[in-house]
Amino acid sequence: MSEQSTQASRSAALNSRRKFLLDSARAAGAAMLVAVGVGLYSRQSVSLPASAIRPPGALKEEDFLGACIRCGLCVRDCPYDTLKLARFGDRVTTGTPYFTARDIPCEMCEDIPCVKACPTGALDHSLENIDDARMGLAVLIDEENCLNFQGLRCDVCYRICPVIDKAITLEMEHNVRSGKHAMFIPTVHSEHCTGCGKCERACVLENTAIRVMPYELAKGELGHHYRWGWKEKNRAGESLVTPDIEHEYNLPQGQSYDLQGEGLIIDDGTSSLNPPDNVPFGTSPLDTLNNNSFNTRGTEK
Amino acid sequence: MSRPLHPGATARAEKGWLSANKWLLARRFSQLSILSIFLLGPWLGIWLIQGNLNSSLILRTVPLTDPYVLLQGLFSGHLPETAAITGAVIVLLLYMLVGGRVYCSWVCPVNMVTDAAQWLREQFKISGSSTMSRKTRYWILATTLILSLVTGSIAWELVNPVSMLHRGLIFGMGLAWAIVLAVFLLDLLVSRRGWCSHLCPVGAFYSLLGTHSLIRIRADARDRCDDCMDCFMVCPEQQVIRPALKGLPIPGTNKKTGPVITSSNCTNCGRCIDVCAKDVFHLGLRLNNTIPGNGVDAEHTTNLKNNSEQLNHSSGVEVL
C-alpha cells in the first residue's frame, strides 16, 4: 500500500518534471523564434534610407538605435514640425525621429530644443552650438541639371544657406560653352555644412540637384597611410623628405625665374654688378650671343 | 449544474450591475483617461503630457520613463542622460508600491484589445486554446535583453505591440494596426489570454517589478467562498487566486497560504472583487498575511479541484 503510494508519487514527480522540462523547452522555442525574427529584422532596420535625416546631435546610427527610446519628445519640441516619428511600415526604424529635407528642412534653432528634449542623450546634449551639428552633408549631385552649372545665376541654394559663404560658396569658373562668360559653381564645404537641408528644400528644379546625404555616403575617406605633402611640410616647417634642390634655369644674365611666384624676373641691373663667376656668359645679352663658348656651354657644365 | 453561463451573473443579480462592475469601470476609466491625457496635446493642443509610454514629460517638468525600455537601452550599451534615469526611478518606485502589473490592467492600451478579444471569445463560446507555458514571457523577456546586447539596438521596440499601439495613437499608426490585430486574433482564436498572460515581455518585466509590491488583492473573507468559480473564470492569471483563496499548504512547510494574493502576476485588476457575489475579495495591503480564524478545511480544496477539472473539460481552460 505504502509502496504503491510512493511509486505513484514518484511517477507523479517524474510527470511533473517531464511537464516542466517540456514547458521550458516550448517556452525556449518560442523565445528562439522571437530572437531570430526580431534579430533579423533589427539587422535590416539599421540601414536608413539616404533621404531620412536624423535630428541635430544624433549619435551614429548604430549607437542611436540603442540609445533612442522612441518617445517622440524631440518631435514634440520641434517648433517647425520638421521632425517626424517613423511609423511602423516606414523605411525608418519605427518610433525614431527623422526628417525629409525636401519636405521640411531643419531651421537650425539656436537653442536646439529637440536635443534638449531628448531624455536619453540619443541626441547628444554636448551639442551646444547648432553650427556644430552634422546632420548630413549637402552634395550638389546633378551637375547636368544645376542651373549654375549651365552658366545661369540661380544661386538659390547659396542664398538660402544659413551658413552662407562658408558652407556654400560660389566658385567662379570659365564658361566654355559661351566662351566669354563666367560660371558660378555652388560649392559645399564639409567644414561648415550642418546638413540642415535648406538648400535641398530651396532648389528650384523639379527634382533637386543638391541633396543632404548621410556622411558615409557623401564623404570620401583618404587611405589612412596617405599624407598631403604640402600640409606635412607646413606643419613641420620644412620638407620632410630630401630638401628640394632649387632648379637652375639657364637664363640670360640678370634674369631669373620664380616657378611658384612671379615668373620671369628681369633684374634692373643692380645685381648685374656682381655677376656670378660660374656663369659662362657676360652681362650683356649681345656678348652672350657673340660668345663662341655658347655652343659648348652644355659640356662645360 | 447551477453554475451560470457568464461569470459575475450571480454578483450582478445580488449586488446590482454597477457594484458588480465597478472595478472594471474604474479600470476602463483609468486606461481611457491616461490615453486621453496623452491625446489632448496632439488633438486639442492642451499639453498636459508629452511623449508616450516609453518616455514622457508631465507639464514640461516631471519625466517618466519606462524602465524596461531604458534597461534594453543599457543592454545595448548606451548610458542615458539623467532625465531618463529620473523618469525610470519614479516609475519603478510607483509600480513597486502599487503592483507591477497594475501597468498591465490599468495603463496599457493593449489590455483593452485583449479584453475585447476575451469578451468575444466568451460571446462566441470559442473554447479551443493552444496551451502555452505562462513562463514563456520570461524567456521572451530574457531574449529581448540578449537581443539588445547582441544587436546594440533596442530591438524589441521594432515589434512591441504595447508601444506600437500607444505611440501609434498619438503619433500616427502606419501599419502598426497589423500588429495590434495580430495580438487580437491570437487572443481570440489561438490562445486564451495568449498575449498578456503568456507572451508579453513588458508584462513579465513589470511582474518582476511588483514582486514585493505593497498593494494586493486579499481574500480575507475566503471562508465565505462557495466555489462558484466566477473569479477563476474571469481572472486573466487564473493560477494566482487558488493558493490564497483556498489556503493551500505552502510547499515545503506545514503552513497554509495566507489570504493575500502574493503572486507578482496578479494585475490588481479587481475583476475577482467585481464578480464575487460573496464579497470574498477586497483590495488591501500585503501586510498581515496570516490565516484568519480556523483557516480552510480540506473539503473546500477538493471541491475546487473537482470544479477546476470540470472547467477544464468544458472550456479547455489551462490551469497552472
Side-chain angles (χ1 to χ4, degrees):
Chain A
M1 175 79 189
S2 70
E3 210 171 272
Q4 215 167 13
S5 79
T6 49
Q7 209 165 15
S9 77
R10 194 182 297 157
S11 86
L14 223 93
N15 264 343
S16 82
R17 193 190 302 159
R18 194 179 136 82
K19 183 172 159 30
F20 172 77
L21 286 175
L22 196 65
D23 275 354
S24 303
R26 291 170 72 195
M32 194 69 84
L33 213 64
V34 169
V36 171
V38 179
L40 287 179
Y41 182 29
S42 83
R43 276 179 64 124
Q44 213 170 31
S45 76
V46 174
S47 56
L48 192 67
S51 59
I53 305 167
R54 293 293 185 201
L59 303 177
K60 270 171 55 187
E61 187 63 12
E62 52 274 29
D63 298 333
F64 184 79
L65 291 178
C68 171
I69 52 171
R70 284 81 158 157
C71 66
L73 284 171
C74 54
V75 175
R76 286 293 176 238
D77 276 6
C78 175
Y80 299 97
D81 291 336
T82 300
L83 293 179
K84 295 177 282 190
L85 212 56
R87 301 167 179 200
F88 189 67
D90 289 352
R91 284 156 68 220
V92 182
T93 304
T94 310
T96 59
Y98 73 103
F99 68 98
T100 311
R102 189 65 167 164
D103 298 339
I104 311 177
C106 172
E107 295 287 340
M108 286 174 63
C109 310
E110 279 189 17
D111 52 346
I112 333 181
C114 51
V115 171
K116 285 199 181 130
C118 179
T120 62
L123 306 181
D124 195 343
H125 286 212
S126 66
L127 178 73
E128 281 170 349
N129 182 356
I130 189 64
D131 288 342
D132 295 335
R134 293 292 177 269
M135 295 169 263
L137 182 61
V139 180
L140 205 160
I141 205 160
D142 186 6
E143 300 181 354
E144 291 176 344
N145 283 304
C146 171
L147 300 182
N148 275 40
F149 265 88
Q150 310 310 313
L152 305 175
R153 290 302 300 273
C154 162
D155 297 2
V156 165
C157 56
Y158 163 76
R159 294 280 167 210
I160 199 104
C161 178
V163 202
I164 185 170
D165 279 328
K166 286 181 183 161
I168 304 185
T169 56
L170 292 177
E171 302 295 327
M172 197 160 65
E173 274 180 25
H174 176 56
N175 185 341
V176 181
R177 180 177 56 82
S178 73
K180 55 189 169 186
H181 298 100
M183 297 197 300
F184 292 84
I185 304 299
T187 308
V188 180
H189 303 276
S190 63
E191 204 183 328
H192 295 288
C193 175
T194 63
C196 71
K198 294 205 78 166
C199 52
E200 179 175 339
R201 173 81 189 95
C203 179
V204 301
L205 300 187
E206 278 299 309
N207 193 2
T208 181
I210 188 166
R211 290 165 202 273
V212 175
M213 306 191 71
Y215 253 76
E216 60 275 18
L217 285 188
K219 284 285 279 183
E221 190 177 350
L222 213 55
H224 294 290
H225 65 287
Y226 212 93
R227 299 290 178 271
W228 300 119
W230 58 91
K231 286 186 184 167
E232 296 301 320
K233 188 175 166 185
N234 275 349
R235 194 182 305 159
E238 56 174 356
S239 177
L240 295 175
V241 291
T242 318
D244 292 344
I245 301 163
E246 207 169 317
H247 187 79
E248 276 184 37
Y249 294 94
N250 294 314
L251 292 171
Q253 190 82 42
Q255 296 187 8
S256 56
Y257 195 84
D258 183 3
L259 178 65
Q260 289 176 324
E262 302 171 54
L264 187 66
I265 303 162
I266 300 173
D267 279 350
D268 48 10
T270 45
S271 63
S272 67
L273 290 173
N274 300 309
D277 294 339
N278 60 344
V279 175
F281 36 75
T283 48
S284 159
L286 272 176
D287 288 350
T288 312
L289 284 173
N290 296 330
N291 194 335
N292 291 340
S293 64
F294 177 72
N295 293 327
T296 57
R297 182 170 45 100
T299 53
E300 276 177 18
K301 281 284 282 187
Chain B
M1 273 195 57
S2 61
R3 187 164 56 80
L5 274 175
H6 289 293
T10 323
R12 213 148 51 231
E14 288 186 15
K15 302 195 285 188
W17 185 86
L18 195 67
S19 185
N21 283 292
K22 60 176 190 288
W23 286 100
L24 180 65
L25 291 172
R27 221 152 52 76
R28 292 287 176 256
F29 179 76
S30 161
Q31 291 165 335
L32 289 170
S33 359
I34 289 170
L35 192 57
S36 309
I37 293 169
F38 273 101
L39 287 170
L40 275 180
W43 285 6
L44 301 175
I46 304 166
W47 295 103
L48 299 177
I49 193 163
Q50 288 175 306
N52 57 44
L53 286 180
N54 281 11
S55 191
S56 55
L57 197 60
I58 303 172
L59 296 169
R60 303 201 62 84
T61 41
V62 184
L64 295 175
T65 303
D66 179 4
Y68 173 49
V69 186
L70 200 67
L71 187 67
Q72 291 173 74
L74 278 171
F75 268 81
S76 57
H78 178 75
L79 200 66
E81 295 281 334
T82 39
I85 297 172
T86 314
V89 169
I90 294 173
V91 173
L92 274 172
L93 292 177
L94 179 74
Y95 285 109
M96 283 166 86
L97 185 72
V98 301
R101 293 206 63 199
V102 162
Y103 177 84
C104 300
S105 56
W106 293 78
V107 178
C108 179
V110 172
N111 178 268
M112 286 187 276
V113 176
T114 56
D115 271 0
Q118 178 60 26
W119 184 78
L120 278 178
R121 195 170 240 276
E122 281 160 17
Q123 300 307 305
F124 294 143
K125 301 192 169 54
I126 302 171
S127 54
S129 173
S130 96
T131 53
M132 291 179 283
S133 165
R134 286 179 192 268
K135 294 193 177 87
T136 310
R137 52 187 151 194
Y138 296 106
W139 285 85
I140 294 180
L141 172 63
T143 303
T144 60
L145 295 179
I146 293 168
L147 268 177
S148 293
L149 192 70
V150 172
T151 64
S153 78
I154 303 178
W156 182 247
E157 280 305 295
L158 291 170
V159 290
N160 184 3
V162 177
S163 54
M164 284 286 170
L165 178 55
H166 193 255
R167 192 195 304 111
L169 288 170
I170 296 167
F171 288 92
M173 266 291 177
L175 300 178
W177 286 117
I179 285 191
V180 179
L181 184 69
V183 167
F184 177 79
L185 293 177
L186 171 84
D187 270 30
L188 178 65
L189 302 172
V190 182
S191 178
R192 181 186 185 273
R193 299 279 182 192
W195 182 255
C196 298
S197 301
H198 295 81
L199 297 177
C200 179
V202 181
F205 176 85
Y206 277 89
S207 86
L208 295 179
L209 264 194
T211 313
H212 301 290
S213 66
L214 191 61
I215 295 178
R216 304 267 68 183
I217 303 283
R218 301 181 63 111
D220 281 317
R222 61 191 182 185
D223 288 343
R224 290 208 289 259
C225 174
D226 63 354
D227 293 337
C228 74
M229 299 296 290
D230 279 4
C231 59
F232 190 79
M233 290 278 282
V234 87
C235 180
E237 299 282 353
Q238 294 161 321
Q239 76 283 9
V240 308
I241 297 182
R242 216 159 77 110
L245 180 63
K246 293 296 147 192
L248 296 183
I250 300 167
T253 65
N254 46 14
K255 286 182 194 163
K256 285 182 174 179
T257 313
V260 179
I261 295 177
T262 49
S263 165
S264 61
N265 270 317
C266 170
T267 68
N268 282 3
C269 70
R271 282 300 275 150
C272 52
I273 307 177
D274 276 349
V275 299
C276 183
K278 302 288 176 196
D279 281 332
V280 168
F281 302 97
H282 68 104
L283 195 68
L285 305 180
R286 77 181 303 137
L287 311 170
N288 194 20
N289 189 14
T290 49
I291 300 159
N294 304 322
V296 187
D297 57 6
E299 202 185 330
H300 264 118
T301 318
T302 30
N303 268 352
L304 185 91
K305 209 179 249 173
N306 290 342
N307 271 358
S308 77
E309 269 161 20
Q310 243 169 31
L311 196 68
N312 267 335
H313 282 296
S314 61
S315 66
V317 172
E318 169 202 2
V319 192
L320 253 175

